[in-house]
Amino acid sequence: MTDETERDEDISRAEGAEAPGAATDDAPATPPEVGERPVTRSGFVAIVGKPNVGKSTLLNTMLGVKVAPITPKPQTTRRGVRGIYTFEDRQLVFVDTPGLHRGGDTVLDQAMHREVRDAVVDVDFVLWVVDLRRPPSDEDKDVARLLSGLPPEVPVIIVGNKVDAAKYPEEALQLYGDLLPTAERSVALSALNDPKAVYALRDDLLDRLEEAPFFFPGDVRSDQTREQWAAELIREAAMIHLRQELPYTVAVQVVDWQDPPEEGRPIVITAEIWVEKPGHRRIVIGSGGAMIKEIGRMARKQLEVFLQERVFLELEVVVRRDWRRDKEALRELGYEP
Ligand code: GDP
Ligand code: MG
């Protein structure tokens, strides 16, 4: 029943696969042509779940590097960060969603909801991450409802996370499973403390990929720009230091990035921290500039670890009233409201 065009394409791909030294019984192996493309397998994986269940931790363990920011506070991953895992001829592209939360009505909330919805459409697998320390909440039910609307051919795997800290993991996993009877299976693991279990899940996905071209070059791990990535690290440092004083109201934009003109000089990164009120600006700067200095120090250390170079980080605190409701501001930050 295959349509002819599709069949043609399959055949040409299959030939591509056989050519590089394929040892079939009846045909002698031919050397690969220069520039010939080997057959690759790839697919998209959406990581969904309510805030704070461990989505970013799972992604980072899958990739073996730090990509999305992780902090003990929910809602810190605002942008859908993609991580890319390439092993030989196979590539997984992960979509880390910002997490669903209830009741918000700002432009930002709407943009985030759209991002989550977009993330689960058109993927090859969905990992629904849940927290096994607790039974399902209303937010989990919302996610389950969203996932039960997916086309049946998209497999959803329930990832029961934090099994290391759960008292009744089996019972909890059962309750989550009951919310989504269409889920393919469920697995209990600890994204933080049991990388082997995470790799097993990753390898299972790798094994099941269908033939498709790579979406990214094999050596790329994230499609964020370096500026977006640095902004996330700075924002993470700010969130950690401002925990008590200022929940969820800063945004960071990197406005300049100068690579060193000569060896031994630092990379100079200039970033703005956006706040909504002058009072917030004073808090972020802190008395005698102590707070901003601490934020800068922490962010700089992180940047230096990952860039493997010295960094000079210049931070400026800017009052942008109502940036969370401002479409133009969100666009500047890379959201599409
Ligand atoms: P996200 O909001 O879903 O992306 O969640 P994060 O990945 O940022 O994790 C939220 C919090 O849960 C962080 O403090 C993590 O260290 C913690 N966490 C993540 N995975 C585990 C786990 O397997 N076990 C435990 N005990 N904590 C975890
Ligand atoms: Mg996250």
Side-chain angles (χ1 to χ4, degrees), residues 23-294:
T24 42
D25 288 333
D26 45 6
T30 36
E33 299 273 322
V34 175
E36 193 167 357
R37 271 169 185 268
V39 158
T40 55
R41 293 173 184 274
S42 63
F44 279 84
V45 184
I47 302 180
V48 304
K50 70 178 178 185
N52 228 24
V53 292
K55 298 181 297 297
S56 300
T57 308
L58 181 72
L59 176 64
N60 290 336
T61 305
M62 290 252 185
L63 300 179
V65 292
K66 187 168 178 170
V67 175
I70 308 167
T71 75
K73 261 179 137 31
Q75 299 294 324
T76 46
T77 310
R78 284 214 166 122
R79 195 174 292 115
V81 179
R82 290 187 184 86
I84 297 135
Y85 181 80
T86 307
F87 180 72
E88 294 175 349
D89 57 348
R90 289 161 196 254
Q91 183 168 78
L92 292 167
V93 181
F94 292 96
V95 191
D96 183 28
T97 61
L100 283 174
H101 64 142
R102 317 194 94 205
D105 61 350
T106 63
V107 176
L108 177 61
D109 290 322
Q110 289 160 17
M112 283 172 59
H113 271 263
R114 195 159 333 118
E115 236 173 72
V116 172
R117 234 185 21 233
D118 291 349
V120 292
V121 169
D122 229 29
V123 294
D124 301 280
F125 303 97
V126 174
L127 302 179
W128 175 25
V129 185
V130 299
D131 184 346
L132 290 186
R133 297 174 310 169
R134 301 204 176 80
S137 67
D138 286 345
E139 283 178 304
D140 292 301
K141 289 174 191 164
D142 285 347
V143 180
R145 208 168 299 131
L146 192 132
L147 294 179
S148 59
L150 280 178
E153 62 272 15
V154 179
V156 179
I157 299 171
I158 303 177
V159 180
N161 191 30
K162 309 197 188 184
V163 70
D164 57 307
K167 281 211 185 80
Y168 305 103
E170 279 166 36
E171 289 80 354
L173 201 54
Q174 178 73 47
L175 292 174
Y176 285 102
D178 291 345
L179 289 181
L180 193 68
T182 51
E184 179 190 276
R185 66 190 174 97
S186 55
V187 27
L189 53 75
S190 168
L192 193 61
N193 297 317
D194 189 6
K196 278 197 186 135
V198 175
Y199 300 154
L201 177 60
R202 182 185 70 193
D203 292 345
D204 176 51
L205 300 179
L206 281 178
D207 283 344
R208 294 165 61 186
L209 287 174
E210 303 206 347
E211 239 174 68
F214 277 7
F215 296 99
F216 297 91
D219 56 356
V220 173
R221 299 212 195 210
S222 165
D223 77 339
Q224 279 181 310
T225 64
R226 61 185 189 174
E227 285 82 4
Q228 286 170 336
W229 167 80
E232 298 260 15
L233 279 188
I234 297 163
R235 183 163 194 281
E236 178 182 0
M239 296 295 281
I240 288 168
H241 281 94
L242 296 167
R243 195 169 311 199
Q244 263 90 43
E245 288 92 328
L246 202 73
Y248 319 138
T249 45
V250 307
V252 173
Q253 194 181 26
V254 168
V255 290
D256 192 42
W257 181 303
Q258 299 287 337
D259 284 320
E262 58 194 76
E263 191 104 8
R265 303 272 290 276
I267 300 170
V268 180
I269 300 173
T270 311
E272 292 179 355
I273 299 180
W274 293 4
V275 295
E276 288 188 301
K277 297 180 180 136
H280 291 170
R281 182 166 186 274
R282 281 192 292 276
I283 293 170
V284 176
I285 290 170
S287 105
M291 178 64 94
I292 189 80
K293 214 176 275 173
E294 275 309 305

